Amino acid sequence: MLIGHIAGDVNGDRQVNILDIIHLVNYKFKGGNAPLPILEVADVNADGVIDILDIIYLVNYKFKGGPAPEHP
């Protein structure tokens, strides 16, 4: 785990919430700004790839009681 970075805090506001999900969707599908550092905050399922599975992971965490985001 990197000090100063929160896994899942894609927009850098020090919280993991719906805004992070929106930011990640915009990045992946609308050409929005990349989260920085990208793997440490956006690869929430720690599989080495940032994709739709990370978005689903965040949705499950925030709204369905799924596991917390992980650092790769």
Side-chain angles (χ1 to χ4, degrees):
M1 179 176 186
L2 293 175
I3 297 173
H5 300 288
I6 300 169
D9 178 22
V10 180
N11 66 354
D13 68 357
R14 312 285 303 154
Q15 300 176 42
V16 178
N17 55 35
I18 186 72
L19 298 176
D20 298 297
I21 296 167
I22 293 167
H23 189 103
L24 194 52
V25 167
N26 283 333
Y27 165 67
K28 287 305 298 177
F29 301 107
K30 299 284 188 174
N33 293 332
L36 296 174
I38 191 163
L39 282 178
E40 288 80 0
V41 297
D43 182 19
V44 295
N45 65 357
D47 67 354
V49 180
I50 298 166
D51 57 16
I52 188 72
L53 297 176
D54 296 296
I55 296 166
I56 293 168
Y57 194 102
L58 275 179
V59 169
N60 284 333
Y61 168 65
K62 288 309 298 176
F63 302 107
K64 296 189 173 198
E70 305 175 23
H71 280 288

